[in-house]
């Protein structure tokens, strides 16, 4: 799960730099996979940080078109 999440994050970087919605979408799904990975491994700290980061990601969405 973390490998797939990392790949999505790497794919997201060019789109994020150009402020495209596609980059934001890849970032979102990367974070969702990170949250799933934290739940699967029963990492409470990982779940909390993933939820906080998802909140930050949603706050940034309006900057991407």
């Amino acid at each position: 799960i973390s490998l797939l999440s990392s790949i999505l994050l790497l794919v997201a970087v060019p789109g994020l730099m150009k402020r495209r919605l596609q980059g934001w979408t890849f970032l979102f799904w990367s974070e969702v996979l990170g949250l799933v990975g934290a739940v699967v491994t029963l990492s409470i700290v990982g779940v909390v940080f993933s939820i906080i980061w998802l909140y930050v990601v949603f706050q940034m969405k309006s900057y991407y078109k």
Side-chain angles (χ1 to χ4, degrees), residues 27-54:
L27 176 64
F28 170 76
W29 284 112
S30 171
E31 290 306 315
V32 168
L33 283 175
L35 178 62
V36 169
V39 169
V40 167
T41 60
L42 301 174
S43 172
I44 301 298
V45 174
V47 170
V48 170
F49 281 120
S50 291
I51 290 171
I52 291 170
W53 185 243
L54 278 171

